[in-house]
Amino acid sequence: DQFIPSYDPSCKNQAAECGSLDSIVASINVLKRGQEKLAAIDLVQSQALDDPRKVYQAFSRGETWAIEAMQPAIHSLATAVGNIYNLLDLELIVISGRMADESRYIIPSIINSLNGKMPSIPHITASNLGPRATMFGAIMQVYQGLLQNW
C-alpha cells in the first residue's frame, strides 16, 4: 500500500512514530511508546518500564499496551520487507540489530502483516552477528571468489 515511511508533517511524534525506519524501530523509541501506552493504564508500572526487552516480552504475551506500542515498528518493518521483496524479488530477508535480538517476537507479526497483501512471502530470519557481520561478509566474498576461480 505504501513505500518505506518518510517524514510526515501531520505526525505528532516524528522521532518515535514517523520518519526513517531506523527511528521507528529503534529500541529507545519502542521503549518510549511502551511507557506512553502503559502510562494510560498504570502510571506506576510505566515508570518502572526501563528496558525495551520488557516491551517485546509483553508483546509476545499479547498485552494490549505492548501491541499498541509495537504496531508502528511492525507496520514499518512489514512495509520495508514488502517493498524490498517487490523490488528485488529476494527469497530471504535478514533482519539485524536489536530487532534481530527480539526476532522471535516480531517476525511472526511481520509475516501476519504481509499475508494477503503479497502473492508470496519471503523467508524472514534474523542475524545475530552484530559487529562481526562485516568481517563474516568479507570472508564469504573471498571464499566465493576462491571457489569461482578454482
Side-chain angles (χ1 to χ4, degrees):
D1 291 315
Q2 72 181 48
F3 289 98
I4 296 173
S6 61
Y7 177 76
D8 178 359
S10 67
C11 186
K12 295 176 186 165
N13 189 354
Q14 287 293 324
E17 296 176 11
C18 304
S20 73
L21 181 63
D22 283 346
S23 70
I24 295 169
V25 301
S27 294
I28 188 68
N29 289 326
V30 167
L31 177 60
K32 286 178 185 177
R33 284 192 305 270
Q35 290 167 333
E36 290 169 6
K37 299 296 181 182
L38 189 54
I41 300 167
D42 186 334
L43 185 59
V44 174
Q45 272 193 321
S46 72
Q47 292 169 342
L49 186 61
D50 59 354
D51 187 336
R53 289 177 291 196
K54 293 178 182 176
V55 179
Y56 300 126
Q57 292 163 357
F59 174 76
S60 74
R61 292 190 301 269
E63 295 184 32
T64 304
W65 66 269
I67 292 170
E68 291 173 3
M70 288 295 296
Q71 281 309 312
I74 298 297
H75 175 74
S76 295
L77 286 168
T79 300
V81 166
N83 287 328
I84 291 167
Y85 178 73
N86 286 329
L87 179 66
L88 302 174
D89 194 26
L90 301 173
E91 293 180 21
L92 173 67
I93 295 184
V94 180
I95 296 174
S96 63
R98 173 58 76 102
M99 282 292 167
D101 296 339
E102 309 304 334
S103 64
R104 65 188 175 278
Y105 304 129
I106 62 163
I107 289 177
S109 295
I110 292 169
I111 292 169
N112 286 339
S113 277
L114 294 172
N115 279 332
K117 295 179 182 168
M118 301 171 61
S120 64
I121 308 293
H123 181 70
I124 304 170
T125 191
S127 168
N128 293 320
L129 293 176
R132 300 173 301 190
T134 303
M135 178 185 64
F136 284 120
I139 291 168
M140 289 307 298
Q141 287 290 335
V142 169
Y143 179 71
Q144 287 176 340
L146 290 172
L147 288 178
Q148 288 174 352
N149 295 320
W150 186 292

Coordinates of all heavy atoms in Angstrom, one line a residue, residues 25-94:
V25 N 11.8 1.9 14.5 CA 12.1 0.6 15.2 C 13.2 0.6 16.2 O 13.4 -0.4 16.9 CB 12.4 -0.5 14.1 CG1 11.3 -0.7 13.1 CG2 13.7 -0.2 13.4
A26 N 13.8 1.8 16.4 CA 14.8 1.9 17.4 C 14.3 1.5 18.8 O 13.2 1.9 19.2 CB 15.4 3.3 17.5
S27 N 15.1 0.7 19.5 CA 14.7 0.2 20.8 C 14.3 1.3 21.8 O 13.3 1.2 22.5 CB 15.8 -0.6 21.4 OG 16.0 -1.7 20.7
I28 N 15.0 2.5 21.7 CA 14.6 3.6 22.6 C 13.2 4.1 22.3 O 12.5 4.4 23.3 CB 15.7 4.7 22.6 CG1 15.4 5.7 23.7 CG2 15.7 5.4 21.2 CD1 15.7 5.3 25.1
N29 N 12.9 4.1 21.1 CA 11.5 4.6 20.7 C 10.4 3.5 21.0 O 9.3 3.9 21.4 CB 11.5 5.1 19.3 CG 12.2 6.4 19.2 OD1 12.2 7.2 20.1 ND2 12.9 6.6 18.0
V30 N 10.8 2.2 20.9 CA 9.9 1.2 21.3 C 9.6 1.3 22.8 O 8.5 1.2 23.3 CB 10.5 -0.2 20.9 CG1 9.7 -1.3 21.6 CG2 10.5 -0.4 19.4
L31 N 10.7 1.6 23.6 CA 10.5 1.8 25.0 C 9.7 3.0 25.3 O 8.8 2.9 26.1 CB 11.9 1.9 25.7 CG 11.9 2.2 27.2 CD1 11.3 1.0 27.9 CD2 13.4 2.4 27.6
K32 N 9.9 4.1 24.6 CA 9.1 5.3 24.9 C 7.7 5.1 24.6 O 6.8 5.5 25.3 CB 9.7 6.5 24.1 CG 11.0 7.0 24.6 CD 11.5 8.2 23.7 CE 12.8 8.6 24.2 NZ 13.4 9.7 23.3
R33 N 7.4 4.4 23.4 CA 6.0 4.2 23.1 C 5.4 3.2 24.1 O 4.2 3.4 24.5 CB 5.9 3.6 21.7 CG 6.0 4.6 20.6 CD 5.6 4.0 19.2 NE 6.3 2.8 18.9 CZ 7.4 2.7 18.2 NH1 8.1 3.8 17.8 NH2 8.0 1.6 17.9
G34 N 6.1 2.2 24.6 CA 5.7 1.3 25.6 C 5.3 2.1 26.9 O 4.3 1.8 27.5
Q35 N 6.2 3.0 27.3 CA 6.0 3.8 28.5 C 4.7 4.6 28.4 O 3.9 4.7 29.3 CB 7.2 4.6 28.8 CG 8.4 3.9 29.3 CD 9.7 4.7 29.3 OE1 9.8 5.7 28.6 NE2 10.6 4.3 30.1
E36 N 4.5 5.2 27.2 CA 3.3 6.1 27.0 C 2.1 5.2 27.0 O 1.1 5.6 27.7 CB 3.4 6.8 25.6 CG 4.5 7.8 25.6 CD 4.8 8.3 24.2 OE1 4.0 7.9 23.2 OE2 5.7 9.1 24.0
K37 N 2.1 4.1 26.4 CA 0.9 3.2 26.3 C 0.6 2.7 27.7 O -0.6 2.6 28.1 CB 1.0 2.1 25.3 CG 1.3 2.6 23.9 CD 0.1 3.3 23.3 CE 0.3 3.8 21.9 NZ -0.8 4.5 21.4
L38 N 1.6 2.2 28.4 CA 1.4 1.7 29.7 C 0.9 2.7 30.7 O 0.1 2.5 31.6 CB 2.7 1.0 30.2 CG 2.6 0.1 31.5 CD1 1.4 -0.9 31.4 CD2 3.9 -0.5 31.8
A39 N 1.4 4.0 30.6 CA 1.0 5.1 31.5 C -0.5 5.3 31.5 O -1.0 5.7 32.5 CB 1.8 6.3 31.1
A40 N -1.1 5.1 30.3 CA -2.5 5.3 30.2 C -3.3 4.2 31.1 O -4.4 4.5 31.4 CB -3.0 5.2 28.8
I41 N -2.6 3.1 31.4 CA -3.3 2.1 32.1 C -2.8 2.1 33.6 O -3.6 1.9 34.5 CB -2.9 0.7 31.5 CG1 -3.4 0.6 30.1 CG2 -3.5 -0.5 32.3 CD1 -2.9 -0.6 29.3
D42 N -1.5 2.2 33.8 CA -0.9 2.1 35.1 C 0.4 2.9 35.1 O 1.5 2.5 34.7 CB -0.5 0.6 35.4 CG 0.0 0.4 36.8 OD1 0.5 1.3 37.4 OD2 -0.2 -0.8 37.3
L43 N 0.2 4.1 35.7 CA 1.3 5.1 35.7 C 2.6 4.5 36.5 O 3.7 4.7 36.1 CB 0.9 6.4 36.4 CG 1.9 7.5 36.4 CD1 2.3 7.8 34.9 CD2 1.3 8.8 37.0
V44 N 2.3 3.8 37.6 CA 3.4 3.3 38.4 C 4.2 2.3 37.6 O 5.5 2.3 37.6 CB 2.9 2.7 39.7 CG1 4.0 2.0 40.5 CG2 2.2 3.8 40.6
Q45 N 3.5 1.3 37.0 CA 4.3 0.3 36.2 C 5.0 1.0 35.0 O 6.1 0.5 34.7 CB 3.3 -0.7 35.6 CG 3.0 -1.9 36.5 CD 2.3 -3.0 35.8 OE1 1.4 -2.8 35.0 NE2 2.7 -4.2 36.1
S46 N 4.4 2.0 34.4 CA 5.1 2.7 33.3 C 6.4 3.3 33.7 O 7.4 3.4 33.0 CB 4.2 3.7 32.6 OG 4.0 4.8 33.4
Q47 N 6.4 3.8 34.9 CA 7.7 4.5 35.4 C 8.7 3.4 35.7 O 9.9 3.7 35.7 CB 7.4 5.3 36.7 CG 6.5 6.5 36.4 CD 6.0 7.2 37.6 OE1 5.9 6.6 38.7 NE2 5.5 8.4 37.4
A48 N 8.3 2.2 36.0 CA 9.3 1.1 36.2 C 9.7 0.4 34.9 O 10.7 -0.4 34.9 CB 8.7 0.0 37.1
L49 N 9.1 0.7 33.8 CA 9.4 0.2 32.5 C 10.7 0.8 32.0 O 10.7 2.0 31.6 CB 8.3 0.4 31.5 CG 8.4 -0.3 30.1 CD1 8.5 -1.8 30.3 CD2 7.2 0.1 29.3
D50 N 11.8 0.1 32.1 CA 13.1 0.7 31.8 C 14.0 0.0 30.8 O 15.1 0.3 30.6 CB 13.9 0.8 33.1 CG 14.1 -0.5 33.8 OD1 13.6 -1.5 33.3 OD2 14.9 -0.6 34.8
D51 N 13.3 -1.1 30.1 CA 14.1 -1.9 29.2 C 13.2 -2.3 28.1 O 12.1 -2.8 28.3 CB 14.6 -3.1 29.9 CG 15.5 -4.0 29.1 OD1 15.5 -3.9 27.9 OD2 16.3 -4.7 29.7
P52 N 13.6 -2.0 26.8 CA 12.7 -2.3 25.7 C 12.4 -3.8 25.6 O 11.4 -4.2 25.1 CB 13.5 -1.9 24.5 CG 14.9 -1.6 24.9 CD 14.8 -1.4 26.4
R53 N 13.3 -4.7 26.2 CA 13.0 -6.1 26.1 C 11.7 -6.4 26.9 O 11.0 -7.4 26.5 CB 14.2 -6.9 26.7 CG 15.4 -6.9 25.8 CD 16.6 -7.6 26.4 NE 17.0 -6.8 27.5 CZ 18.2 -6.9 28.1 NH1 19.0 -7.8 27.7 NH2 18.5 -6.1 29.1
K54 N 11.4 -5.6 27.9 CA 10.1 -5.9 28.6 C 8.9 -5.6 27.7 O 7.9 -6.2 27.8 CB 10.1 -5.0 29.9 CG 11.1 -5.4 30.9 CD 11.1 -4.5 32.1 CE 12.2 -4.8 33.1 NZ 12.2 -3.9 34.2
V55 N 9.1 -4.6 26.8 CA 8.0 -4.3 25.8 C 7.9 -5.5 24.9 O 6.7 -6.0 24.6 CB 8.3 -3.0 25.1 CG1 7.2 -2.7 24.0 CG2 8.4 -1.8 26.0
Y56 N 9.0 -6.0 24.4 CA 8.9 -7.1 23.5 C 8.3 -8.4 24.1 O 7.5 -9.1 23.5 CB 10.3 -7.5 22.9 CG 11.0 -6.4 22.2 CD1 12.3 -6.0 22.6 CD2 10.5 -5.8 21.1 CE1 13.0 -5.0 21.9 CE2 11.1 -4.8 20.4 CZ 12.4 -4.4 20.8 OH 13.0 -3.4 20.1
Q57 N 8.7 -8.6 25.4 CA 8.1 -9.7 26.1 C 6.6 -9.6 26.4 O 5.9 -10.6 26.2 CB 8.9 -9.9 27.4 CG 10.3 -10.4 27.2 CD 11.2 -10.2 28.4 OE1 10.8 -9.7 29.5 NE2 12.5 -10.6 28.3
A58 N 6.2 -8.4 26.7 CA 4.8 -8.1 26.9 C 4.0 -8.3 25.6 O 2.9 -8.8 25.6 CB 4.6 -6.7 27.5
F59 N 4.6 -7.9 24.5 CA 4.1 -8.0 23.2 C 3.9 -9.5 22.9 O 2.8 -9.9 22.4 CB 5.0 -7.4 22.2 CG 4.6 -7.6 20.7 CD1 3.6 -6.8 20.2 CD2 5.3 -8.5 20.0 CE1 3.2 -7.0 18.9 CE2 4.9 -8.7 18.6 CZ 3.9 -7.9 18.1
S60 N 4.8 -10.3 23.2 CA 4.7 -11.8 22.9 C 3.6 -12.4 23.8 O 3.1 -13.4 23.4 CB 6.0 -12.5 23.2 OG 6.3 -12.6 24.6
R61 N 3.3 -11.8 25.0 CA 2.3 -12.3 25.8 C 0.9 -11.8 25.4 O -0.1 -12.2 26.0 CB 2.5 -12.0 27.3 CG 3.7 -12.6 27.9 CD 3.8 -12.4 29.4 NE 3.8 -11.0 29.8 CZ 5.0 -10.3 30.0 NH1 6.1 -10.9 29.8 NH2 4.9 -9.1 30.3
G62 N 0.9 -10.9 24.4 CA -0.4 -10.3 23.9 C -1.0 -9.2 24.7 O -2.2 -8.9 24.6
E63 N -0.1 -8.5 25.5 CA -0.6 -7.4 26.3 C -1.0 -6.2 25.4 O -0.1 -5.8 24.6 CB 0.4 -7.0 27.4 CG 0.6 -8.2 28.4 CD 1.5 -7.8 29.6 OE1 1.6 -6.6 29.9 OE2 2.2 -8.7 30.1
T64 N -2.2 -5.7 25.6 CA -2.7 -4.7 24.6 C -1.8 -3.5 24.5 O -1.5 -3.0 23.4 CB -4.1 -4.2 25.1 OG1 -4.9 -5.4 25.1 CG2 -4.7 -3.2 24.1
W65 N -1.3 -3.0 25.7 CA -0.4 -1.8 25.6 C 0.8 -2.0 24.8 O 1.3 -1.1 24.1 CB -0.1 -1.3 27.0 CG 0.8 -2.2 27.8 CD1 0.4 -3.2 28.6 CD2 2.2 -2.3 27.8 NE1 1.4 -3.9 29.2 CE2 2.6 -3.3 28.7 CE3 3.2 -1.6 27.2 CZ2 3.9 -3.7 28.9 CZ3 4.5 -1.9 27.4 CH2 4.9 -2.9 28.3
A66 N 1.4 -3.2 24.9 CA 2.6 -3.5 24.2 C 2.4 -3.7 22.7 O 3.2 -3.3 21.9 CB 3.3 -4.8 24.8
I67 N 1.2 -4.3 22.4 CA 0.8 -4.5 21.0 C 0.7 -3.1 20.3 O 1.2 -2.9 19.2 CB -0.5 -5.3 20.9 CG1 -0.2 -6.7 21.3 CG2 -1.0 -5.2 19.4 CD1 -1.5 -7.6 21.4
E68 N 0.1 -2.2 21.0 CA -0.1 -0.8 20.5 C 1.3 -0.1 20.4 O 1.5 0.6 19.4 CB -1.0 0.0 21.4 CG -2.5 -0.5 21.4 CD -3.3 0.2 22.4 OE1 -2.8 1.1 23.1 OE2 -4.5 -0.1 22.5
A69 N 2.2 -0.4 21.3 CA 3.5 0.2 21.3 C 4.3 -0.3 20.1 O 5.1 0.4 19.5 CB 4.2 0.0 22.6
M70 N 4.1 -1.6 19.8 CA 4.9 -2.2 18.8 C 4.4 -2.0 17.3 O 5.1 -2.2 16.4 CB 5.0 -3.7 19.0 CG 5.9 -4.1 20.2 SD 7.7 -3.7 19.9 CE 8.0 -4.7 18.5
Q71 N 3.1 -1.6 17.2 CA 2.5 -1.5 15.9 C 3.2 -0.6 14.9 O 3.4 -1.0 13.8 CB 1.0 -1.0 16.0 CG 0.1 -2.1 16.4 CD 0.2 -3.4 15.6 OE1 0.2 -3.3 14.4 NE2 0.3 -4.5 16.2
P72 N 3.7 0.6 15.3 CA 4.5 1.3 14.3 C 5.7 0.6 13.8 O 6.0 0.7 12.6 CB 4.9 2.6 15.1 CG 3.9 2.7 16.2 CD 3.5 1.3 16.5
A73 N 6.4 -0.1 14.7 CA 7.6 -0.8 14.3 C 7.2 -2.0 13.4 O 7.9 -2.2 12.3 CB 8.4 -1.3 15.5
I74 N 6.2 -2.8 13.7 CA 5.8 -3.9 12.9 C 5.3 -3.4 11.6 O 5.7 -4.0 10.5 CB 4.7 -4.7 13.6 CG1 5.1 -5.2 15.0 CG2 4.1 -5.8 12.7 CD1 6.2 -6.2 14.9
H75 N 4.5 -2.4 11.5 CA 4.0 -1.9 10.3 C 5.1 -1.4 9.4 O 5.2 -1.7 8.2 CB 3.0 -0.8 10.5 CG 2.5 -0.1 9.3 ND1 1.6 -0.7 8.4 CD2 2.9 1.1 8.7 CE1 1.5 0.1 7.4 NE2 2.2 1.2 7.5
S76 N 6.1 -0.7 10.0 CA 7.2 -0.1 9.2 C 8.1 -1.3 8.7 O 8.6 -1.2 7.5 CB 8.0 0.8 10.0 OG 7.2 1.9 10.4
L77 N 8.4 -2.2 9.5 CA 9.2 -3.4 9.1 C 8.5 -4.2 8.0 O 9.1 -4.6 7.0 CB 9.6 -4.3 10.2 CG 10.7 -3.7 11.2 CD1 10.7 -4.5 12.4 CD2 12.0 -3.6 10.5
A78 N 7.2 -4.4 8.1 CA 6.4 -5.1 7.1 C 6.4 -4.4 5.8 O 6.6 -5.0 4.7 CB 5.0 -5.4 7.6
T79 N 6.3 -3.0 5.9 CA 6.3 -2.2 4.7 C 7.6 -2.3 4.0 O 7.7 -2.5 2.8 CB 6.0 -0.8 5.0 OG1 4.7 -0.7 5.6 CG2 6.0 0.1 3.8
A80 N 8.7 -2.2 4.8 CA 10.1 -2.3 4.2 C 10.3 -3.7 3.6 O 10.8 -3.8 2.5 CB 11.1 -2.0 5.3
V81 N 9.9 -4.7 4.3 CA 10.1 -6.1 3.7 C 9.3 -6.3 2.4 O 9.8 -6.8 1.4 CB 9.7 -7.2 4.8 CG1 9.5 -8.5 4.1 CG2 10.7 -7.2 5.9
G82 N 8.1 -5.8 2.4 CA 7.3 -5.9 1.2 C 7.9 -5.1 0.1 O 7.9 -5.6 -1.1
N83 N 8.4 -3.9 0.3 CA 9.0 -3.1 -0.7 C 10.3 -3.7 -1.2 O 10.5 -3.8 -2.5 CB 9.2 -1.7 -0.2 CG 8.0 -0.9 -0.1 OD1 7.0 -1.1 -0.8 ND2 8.0 0.0 0.9
I84 N 11.1 -4.2 -0.3 CA 12.3 -4.8 -0.7 C 12.1 -6.1 -1.6 O 12.7 -6.3 -2.6 CB 13.2 -5.1 0.5 CG1 13.7 -3.8 1.1 CG2 14.4 -6.1 0.1 CD1 14.3 -4.0 2.5
Y85 N 11.1 -6.9 -1.1 CA 10.8 -8.1 -1.8 C 10.2 -7.8 -3.2 O 10.6 -8.4 -4.2 CB 9.8 -8.9 -1.0 CG 9.3 -10.2 -1.7 CD1 10.1 -11.3 -1.8 CD2 8.0 -10.3 -2.3 CE1 9.7 -12.4 -2.4 CE2 7.6 -11.4 -2.9 CZ 8.5 -12.5 -2.9 OH 8.1 -13.7 -3.6
N86 N 9.3 -6.8 -3.3 CA 8.8 -6.5 -4.6 C 9.8 -5.9 -5.5 O 9.7 -6.1 -6.8 CB 7.6 -5.5 -4.4 CG 6.4 -6.2 -3.9 OD1 6.1 -7.4 -4.2 ND2 5.6 -5.5 -3.1
L87 N 10.7 -5.2 -5.0 CA 11.7 -4.5 -5.8 C 12.8 -5.5 -6.3 O 13.2 -5.5 -7.5 CB 12.4 -3.4 -5.1 CG 13.5 -2.6 -5.8 CD1 12.9 -1.9 -7.0 CD2 14.2 -1.6 -4.8
L88 N 13.3 -6.3 -5.4 CA 14.4 -7.2 -5.7 C 14.1 -8.7 -5.9 O 15.0 -9.5 -6.2 CB 15.5 -7.0 -4.6 CG 16.0 -5.6 -4.4 CD1 16.9 -5.6 -3.2 CD2 16.7 -5.1 -5.6
D89 N 12.9 -9.1 -5.5 CA 12.4 -10.5 -5.6 C 13.4 -11.4 -4.9 O 13.8 -12.4 -5.4 CB 12.3 -10.9 -7.1 CG 11.5 -12.2 -7.3 OD1 10.7 -12.5 -6.4 OD2 11.8 -12.9 -8.3
L90 N 13.7 -11.1 -3.6 CA 14.6 -11.9 -2.8 C 13.8 -13.1 -2.2 O 12.6 -13.0 -2.0 CB 15.1 -11.0 -1.7 CG 15.9 -9.8 -2.1 CD1 16.2 -9.0 -0.9 CD2 17.2 -10.2 -2.8
E91 N 14.6 -14.2 -2.0 CA 14.0 -15.3 -1.4 C 14.2 -15.3 0.2 O 13.4 -15.9 0.9 CB 14.7 -16.6 -1.9 CG 14.3 -16.9 -3.3 CD 15.0 -18.1 -3.8 OE1 15.4 -19.0 -3.0 OE2 15.1 -18.3 -5.0
L92 N 15.1 -14.5 0.6 CA 15.5 -14.4 2.0 C 15.7 -13.0 2.4 O 16.4 -12.2 1.7 CB 16.7 -15.2 2.3 CG 17.3 -15.1 3.7 CD1 16.3 -15.7 4.8 CD2 18.7 -15.8 3.8
I93 N 15.1 -12.5 3.5 CA 15.3 -11.2 4.1 C 15.8 -11.4 5.5 O 15.2 -12.1 6.3 CB 14.1 -10.3 4.0 CG1 13.7 -10.1 2.5 CG2 14.3 -9.0 4.8 CD1 12.6 -9.2 2.3
V94 N 17.0 -10.8 5.8 CA 17.6 -10.9 7.1 C 17.5 -9.6 7.9 O 17.9 -8.6 7.4 CB 19.1 -11.3 6.9 CG1 19.8 -11.5 8.3 CG2 19.2 -12.6 6.1

